[in-house]
Amino acid sequence: MTQVVSIICKPEAIDDIKSSGLGYSYQQESNTIEVLVENNYDLNDEQLCTHYDLDYNLINCIQPV
């Protein structure tokens, strides 16, 4: 079952996000970046970040959409 999750990142993650080719939106009011991804394998938060080449230390939160 495909689950879409929202990864809210710190602005410092922008280079990783761009190089990974992921779509994103900048949330000006909170100065964060939101990335929507699929979690097809029911990965935990750290595994999900590794799968999408994102630095887990630059993540504010991960939540289902």
Side-chain angles (χ1 to χ4, degrees):
M1 181 169 112
T2 299
Q3 178 185 20
V4 176
V5 295
S6 169
I7 302 177
I8 306 298
C9 308
K10 297 176 183 176
E12 297 84 12
I14 191 64
D15 290 335
D16 290 342
I17 294 166
K18 285 182 177 179
S19 68
S20 68
L22 297 171
Y24 65 92
S25 61
Y26 177 67
Q27 308 297 315
Q28 187 171 4
E29 64 279 352
S30 59
N31 192 32
T32 58
I33 300 168
E34 180 180 35
V35 178
L36 297 177
V37 297
E38 293 181 354
N39 187 358
N40 295 327
Y41 309 104
D42 196 27
L43 303 173
N44 69 35
D45 290 354
E46 286 189 56
Q47 292 169 332
L48 187 66
C49 289
T50 300
H51 179 75
Y52 286 104
D53 293 324
L54 298 173
D55 183 345
Y56 183 71
N57 295 313
L58 297 178
I59 305 303
N60 288 342
C61 72
I62 300 174
Q63 57 195 15
V65 173

